[in-house]
Amino acid sequence: MDENGDPSKKKKNKVVQVEWDGLAFKDMVNLKTLIIKNGSFSKGPKYLPNNLRVLDWRRYPLKGFPDDFQPKHLCMLKLPEYLFESYKLDSLSKNLASLNVLNFDNSEYLKEIPDVSGLLTLQKLSFSGCKNLTTVHNSVGILNNLKVLKAEDCESLRTFPSINLPSLEILMLSGCNRLAKFPEILGKMEKVEMLRLCGTNIKDLPSSFQNLCELSYLILSGNTFHRIPRVIVDMPKLSTLYINVEAHKYKTWESRNKLEEGVEGTLSSSNVINLTLNNYMLSDNFFPLALAWFRNVKTLDLTRNRFTILPECIQDFCFLSSLKVDACKKLVKIAGIPPNLKQFSALDCINLTKEEATSVLLNQELHENGRTEFALPGTTIPAWFEEQGKGDSISFWFRGEFPSNALYFAILLRNRQHRATRITTMVSINGKKVSRGGGRTQMQDLFIFDLSVTNKTYHLDGICFENKWNHANVSFELEIGGGTMAFGMHILKQESSSIIKDIQFTNPCIKNEDDEALHGIDSIDVRLRLQPGSATSQPASQNPLGHSGDASHSKGNWAVPQFRGGTVFARRNIKMMLCVMFCTMLSIVVCGLGMWLGKN
């Protein structure tokens, strides 16, 4: 800590200089755990307790152990940043019968891993970051109980012994940039499920690689493969394959050309369902050839490649639901799409700008089954979005359950200042915010999506609201990017038969009041207020509707007609009432005129 006791200001990994005579542990006969992380000792230990179970000593200051050290109970031996040359463990192997963990990570002067055949109980062996290591003893490959083998970032290591490790679960060889050949696998290894092989000089995988019979996840990144390794087709459990070439190796790929040459001549398709092939300079020839190997893929990421068209044959990928072609700068046309495509991304496809090039992606039928999420270049919102507007929100009324599975939205961004744009979707019902969910971290000009897919934090499904009609507002917030926004909303056809009557874009409450008033036209009570004392006049208190007279509604001797419910009707209804009043007046006039003529 600092002088004020603030632990946040503690200096990390500060090396403490220790002056001692090497005898400090002589009287600690029952010491079982010794961990030293940041000490730099003037001398090595002259004595270590034989009862040690754990010895973890960073920058251990000796080539070996004291002569009288008998570590029969030692289970964990970690000597990271080991300072001197390899200590020959041969003489100690007979005394390390209980050793489970052996760690030489980041030992600067370690040049070889010695014979470890006597370490029969060893479960974890790690010598990552040993930049001067050139030799690994063959015994490393025959440890029956070994579960973890880490040898990453050994920059001088050119070869690795064959391995037959039936208990192995984790194998790590990434960063060994001079390692040109993957080790032969001499027997079935059924517990390795994931393998990361990044930043090596390996150009192909041996046929014995299929002995990793339970391997399901394989990452080959930053390597120099001339072609897709043929052996992966014969690996029944391999489901995810990620291959990425580093940007600085573009020229190598361009000169040697075709990764896709590796798929020629095959008669069977792999079981890979998640395939990533980034930076591979794939040409238009890739797609028909890929159908031979990868017909079963469900997600396909082809970011930063050189094909110019997504051909019609891509429709034969019957299981493909997610397709990503970001930064494919030569792509100019989408000629076909897989029949079950749900997610599509074409960020930074600078030549995919003409509407006819992407029209197949905007087809209404493609999106009617729901659950799609498309980001692509565009200048207009498709016409099948019935409700369109500008701004950052859209409102509607619904009754019953919130229709999250029936709503489709389109967002169009114009004059964007940045490509990276995170969209946050917020839903308010009756003025109260009820849901907030994040969408894409990057999007193109046009983003089409199913609300239930994009708003990951939805908890409104199945909730029935008490009000007959509820006002919903869906708003969209851009974290960065700027520019203006237009939006569109569509109700899925498959939901329309049952839900269209429960969604309105104008306030149905006002409409219902008008409908009720119009429905009462057959029971209108019309009353004329004549001169006081007339045989036909009635006091206001005798109004049959039970309402008192209102001088503000009268004009001269004529009373404004009173309607059941107190609602003043539309103009055509007033005309009809005026006609009734006119006819009544005319009858009175005719009767009076007849009486006058009779007297005369």
Side-chain angles (χ1 to χ4, degrees):
M1 298 183 182
D2 70 336
E3 57 183 4
N4 295 321
D6 187 355
S8 65
K9 297 182 179 180
K10 180 181 178 181
K11 294 183 179 180
K12 296 182 179 180
N13 298 326
K14 181 180 179 180
V15 177
V16 179
Q17 301 296 324
V18 179
E19 296 290 337
W20 72 322
D21 59 6
L23 298 173
F25 303 114
K26 188 172 180 59
D27 296 328
M28 301 181 185
V29 293
N30 293 318
L31 184 67
K32 292 180 173 59
T33 301
L34 176 59
I35 299 175
I36 298 175
K37 294 292 187 181
N38 301 315
S40 177
F41 288 76
S42 60
K43 297 179 181 180
K46 295 180 181 180
Y47 175 84
L48 287 173
N50 289 331
N51 286 319
L52 278 176
R53 266 69 166 172
V54 176
L55 176 57
D56 184 350
W57 195 326
R58 182 178 174 226
R59 300 178 67 87
Y60 181 75
L62 290 179
K63 293 182 179 181
F65 297 126
D67 294 337
D68 57 351
F69 181 45
Q70 300 295 322
K72 294 181 180 181
H73 305 290
L74 194 65
C75 296
M76 181 183 295
L77 176 59
K78 292 186 176 183
L79 303 177
E81 298 187 31
Y82 193 52
L83 293 179
F84 300 99
E85 298 178 358
S86 301
Y87 174 70
K88 302 298 183 181
L89 290 176
D90 305 50
S91 60
L92 271 180
S93 295
K94 60 183 179 181
N95 294 320
L96 293 173
S98 301
L99 193 65
N100 293 326
V101 178
L102 181 59
N103 184 307
F104 290 138
D105 286 354
N106 303 311
S107 296
E108 183 178 353
Y109 299 102
L110 187 67
K111 295 183 178 180
E112 65 174 321
I113 300 299
D115 186 353
V116 292
S117 58
L119 306 180
L120 301 179
T121 60
L122 194 64
Q123 296 182 10
K124 182 176 180 179
L125 175 60
S126 181
F127 44 90
S128 295
C130 297
K131 300 185 182 303
N132 293 303
L133 182 71
T134 60
T135 305
V136 176
H137 194 273
N138 291 339
S139 60
V140 170
I142 55 172
L143 295 170
N144 288 336
N145 293 306
L146 194 65
K147 294 181 178 181
V148 177
L149 176 56
K150 294 184 178 181
E152 294 185 299
D153 301 315
C154 296
E155 298 177 355
S156 301
L157 187 64
R158 297 177 180 270
T159 62
F160 204 92
S162 300
I163 57 178
N164 185 7
L165 302 170
S167 300
L168 195 68
E169 299 174 1
I170 297 175
L171 174 62
M172 303 176 72
L173 296 173
S174 294
C176 298
N177 52 25
R178 295 190 181 185
L179 186 63
K181 185 178 179 182
F182 189 84
E184 293 286 342
I185 302 176
L186 302 181
K188 297 289 185 181
M189 294 172 55
E190 300 178 345
K191 296 186 178 181
V192 178
E193 296 181 358
M194 184 180 77
L195 176 62
R196 298 181 75 247
L197 195 61
C198 308
T200 72
N201 196 38
I202 296 174
K203 297 176 174 60
D204 203 355
L205 296 175
S207 59
S208 64
F209 189 80
Q210 63 184 299
N211 282 329
L212 296 173
C213 50
E214 293 294 322
L215 188 69
S216 62
Y217 199 101
L218 176 60
I219 301 176
L220 305 174
S221 178
N223 296 285
T224 55
F225 287 97
H226 291 169
R227 56 182 60 86
I228 298 175
R230 174 66 178 82
V231 70
I232 66 172
V233 178
D234 302 317
M235 305 188 70
K237 298 295 182 68
L238 186 63
S239 62
T240 299
L241 176 61
Y242 179 95
I243 305 180
N244 177 59
V245 177
E246 295 176 359
H248 69 273
K249 295 181 180 178
Y250 273 171
K251 293 183 179 180
T252 302
W253 277 107
E254 189 173 8
S255 61
R256 292 175 178 170
N257 210 12
K258 314 292 185 187
L259 172 79
E260 58 260 32
E261 289 177 357
V263 303
E264 294 177 341
T266 186
L267 298 177
S268 60
S269 181
S270 73
N271 292 321
V272 171
I273 59 175
N274 304 304
L275 177 63
T276 298
L277 298 173
N278 289 171
N279 299 340
Y280 262 111
M281 304 297 173
L282 296 176
S283 69
D284 291 336
N285 295 327
F286 168 74
F287 294 98
L289 294 171
L291 281 170
W293 272 22
F294 304 115
R295 186 177 295 271
N296 297 314
V297 295
K298 294 182 179 180
T299 63
L300 180 59
D301 184 349
L302 299 176
T303 297
R304 289 186 295 276
N305 279 290
R306 290 196 170 187
F307 47 81
T308 64
I309 185 174
L310 286 181
E312 292 185 9
C313 71
I314 201 172
Q315 297 174 122
D316 294 332
F317 286 100
C318 298
F319 305 104
L320 188 60
S321 62
S322 177
L323 177 60
K324 191 174 183 179
V325 293
D326 293 349
C328 292
K329 299 184 182 297
K330 293 185 176 294
L331 181 62
V332 296
K333 185 177 181 181
I334 311 292
I337 55 172
N340 293 302
L341 191 64
K342 296 299 183 184
Q343 293 180 314
F344 178 81
S345 181
L347 302 176
D348 200 26
C349 292
I350 58 177
N351 287 312
L352 195 66
T353 55
K354 296 181 179 179
E355 289 190 6
E356 57 269 23
T358 58
S359 59
V360 68
L361 297 170
L362 303 178
N363 186 285
Q364 181 177 350
E365 293 183 1
L366 173 65
H367 300 273
E368 278 298 335
N369 290 326
R371 305 294 180 182
T372 55
E373 187 178 2
F374 281 26
L376 65 156
T379 57
T380 59
I381 292 177
W384 50 272
F385 282 86
E386 298 91 350
E387 293 295 318
Q388 297 194 21
K390 297 180 180 179
D392 58 2
S393 67
I394 188 169
S395 292
F396 60 92
W397 282 259
F398 72 95
R399 59 185 176 186
E401 296 181 4
F402 184 76
S404 58
N405 292 323
L407 304 182
Y408 249 70
F409 289 89
I411 297 177
L412 182 65
L413 297 181
R414 299 187 180 97
N415 306 316
R416 289 186 302 127
Q417 299 174 0
H418 305 282
R419 185 183 70 180
T421 303
R422 181 176 180 82
I423 293 181
T424 300
T425 306
M426 293 163 288
V427 179
S428 297
I429 297 178
N430 300 328
K432 182 179 180 180
K433 186 179 294 183
V434 294
S435 182
R436 178 184 177 92
R440 298 180 61 91
T441 54
Q442 288 187 322
M443 64 167 287
Q444 193 65 8
D445 305 318
L446 182 59
F447 186 30
I448 299 175
F449 59 96
D450 179 338
L451 184 62
S452 64
V453 172
T454 304
N455 205 9
K456 305 298 184 184
T457 62
Y458 247 91
H459 300 292
L460 297 176
D461 295 340
I463 298 178
C464 189
F465 292 84
E466 294 181 359
N467 295 346
K468 184 175 182 181
W469 286 101
N470 300 277
H471 181 230
N473 184 75
V474 181
S475 59
F476 310 101
E477 181 181 282
L478 301 181
E479 184 173 315
I480 56 176
T484 58
M485 184 190 307
F487 58 81
M489 178 176 169
H490 170 69
I491 302 175
L492 290 177
K493 276 186 177 180
Q494 66 175 13
E495 302 286 351
S496 295
S497 59
S498 60
I499 207 169
I500 189 65
K501 65 181 181 299
D502 295 325
I503 299 178
Q504 300 290 330
F505 291 100
T506 57
N507 192 338
C509 299
I510 296 177
K511 182 179 179 181
N512 286 345
E513 288 179 2
D514 290 344
D515 287 344
E516 291 174 3
L518 289 171
H519 180 69
I521 192 168
D522 294 334
S523 58
I524 296 176
D525 288 308
V526 179
R527 182 172 55 82
L528 299 176
R529 181 176 296 162
L530 302 178
Q531 292 290 343
S534 169
T536 58
S537 67
Q538 298 179 12
S541 61
Q542 296 178 6
N543 188 327
L545 294 178
H547 299 290
S548 61
D550 188 349
S552 64
H553 291 298
S554 63
K555 192 172 184 179
N557 294 325
W558 300 101
V560 177
Q562 302 293 314
F563 307 114
R564 199 177 303 278
T567 304
V568 179
F569 280 85
R571 187 179 301 169
R572 69 174 185 272
N573 301 317
I574 295 176
K575 288 181 179 180
M576 183 173 65
M577 290 182 287
L578 290 175
C579 289
V580 173
M581 290 187 291
F582 178 76
C583 291
T584 304
M585 292 170 61
L586 184 61
S587 298
I588 295 172
V589 172
V590 170
C591 290
L593 183 60
M595 292 173 64
W596 182 78
L597 290 175
K599 292 179 180 181
N600 295 312

